[in-house]
Amino acid sequence: QVQLVESGGGLVQPGGSLRLSCAASQSIFVINNMGWYRQAPGKQRELVADITTGSRTNYADSVKGRFTISRDNAKSTVYLQMNSLKPEDTAVYYCNRVPPWARSWGQGTQVTVSS
């Protein structure tokens, strides 16, 4: 079972930036496509960005042009750079494989965008 630990969330004003990190416990990370998901209060969890083993990226329309996903296979870590944050980006952010490992959901990291 791969353990995933997210960090980097916080409170930020609209228009601000945050960089999220996700560290995986096993090197199996490097042979899997990874993604960042988020879940806002009262809503279903959604995939917002993913990155293939070859570092091709895809983004949800709601974050395209503002978020950038990247990975460092040597560190078994995936990142999410979030710029021009909006109140509607407020959510708990999780990383996981795409498709997700059912038993590897971590605690997530809270991102709150508010003035």
Side-chain angles (χ1 to χ4, degrees):
Q1 178 178 337
V2 178
Q3 292 184 328
L4 301 165
V5 179
E6 302 92 350
S7 62
L11 173 64
V12 63
Q13 292 186 342
S17 298
L18 284 173
R19 188 192 193 208
L20 307 183
S21 299
C22 171
S25 62
Q26 299 181 24
S27 60
I28 192 173
F29 162 93
V30 303
I31 61 171
N32 285 280
N33 300 335
M34 297 297 294
W36 281 97
Y37 302 75
R38 69 184 180 187
Q39 187 167 21
K43 295 187 177 181
Q44 290 190 337
R45 189 175 292 165
E46 62 173 342
L47 177 66
V48 297
D50 64 87
I51 185 166
T52 68
T53 54
S55 292
R56 293 185 64 179
T57 59
N58 294 286
Y59 299 93
D61 288 344
S62 59
V63 306
K64 199 171 294 183
R66 301 188 297 121
F67 290 10
T68 302
I69 188 171
S70 60
R71 65 191 298 162
D72 185 336
N73 288 336
K75 296 181 178 180
S76 294
T77 300
V78 62
Y79 304 97
L80 187 67
Q81 177 67 44
M82 306 187 296
N83 299 327
S84 302
L85 282 161
K86 303 175 181 181
E88 51 263 43
D89 295 319
T90 295
V92 179
Y93 285 72
Y94 305 86
C95 72
N96 207 327
R97 190 184 67 164
V98 178
W101 288 301
R103 296 182 179 182
S104 294
W105 291 108
Q107 294 297 311
T109 186
Q110 175 71 48
V111 172
T112 302
V113 185
S114 175
S115 55

